[in-house]
Amino acid sequence: MEPLTLSEPQPSPQNSLPTPEKTYHVLVGVTGSVAALKLPVLVSELLEIPGLKVRVVTTERAKHFYNPQEIPVTLYSDAEEWQTCVIRAWDMTKPLLFCPAMNTAMWEHPITAHQVEQLKDFGYTEIPCVVKRLVCGDEGEHQLEEENYWEKATRRCIML
């Protein structure tokens, strides 16, 4: 499965957001990566989509990268086990998106390629990252995107 390529959502004839016919639940999992800095932006953008209910599961290490008071939903914490437990219990008929944002040296390690391919083999969708200057100063291709990207990704999944 190829990484998700997003096109701009098509506006409705009245140029307004369509009223959702049902509620969609989004679970955001965040780990102890510098990409966790973007959690407040991600959650805020998701909450602007009509019909979405958002929950966040976070590791304690991730909380070092953002201010939990800036997250406008309840945060659920776990030591580290949630990552494997949630994914193992995932309803495979529902989309699961992942974004492997990390330092370039980590990205280039062969274990990472193996893990990303395994997730794709399960049918999960990779959200591609963008090239940006990393916190360490390197130029890297695996930085988490912002600016309405997650809204587009979520809308695309809802349409699936």
Side-chain angles (χ1 to χ4, degrees), residues 106-120:
M106 294 170 67
W107 177 252
E108 292 173 351
H109 195 284
I111 290 174
T112 303
H114 175 72
Q115 292 170 334
V116 167
E117 285 309 311
Q118 183 68 58
L119 293 172
K120 290 179 183 180

Side-chain angles (χ1 to χ4, degrees), residues 35-48 66 70-72 144-151:
L37 287 167
K38 298 186 181 181
L39 183 63
V41 172
L42 168 61
V43 172
S44 294
E45 284 187 13
L46 289 174
L47 289 172
E48 291 179 13
Y66 63 88
E70 292 180 4
I71 310 301
L144 194 60
E145 178 62 89
E146 282 183 32
E147 302 183 23
N148 299 320
Y149 189 83
W150 290 95
E151 178 182 349

Side-chain angles (χ1 to χ4, degrees), residues 1-6 25-30 42 46 49 82 86-87 90-101 116 119-120 122-128 144 149-160:
M1 180 176 281
E2 294 299 314
L4 181 64
T5 303
L6 300 175
H25 298 270
V26 174
L27 177 63
V28 177
V30 60
L42 168 61
L46 289 174
I49 302 172
W82 71 268
V86 169
I87 291 175
W90 196 258
D91 179 347
M92 298 294 285
T93 65
K94 298 184 189 302
L96 186 145
L97 289 68
F98 68 99
C99 185
V116 167
L119 293 172
K120 290 179 183 180
F122 291 151
Y124 302 151
T125 302
E126 179 183 2
I127 300 291
L144 194 60
Y149 189 83
W150 290 95
E151 178 182 349
K152 293 177 207 171
T154 304
R155 286 183 185 278
R156 171 118 185 227
C157 284
I158 288 171
M159 291 187 286
L160 295 178

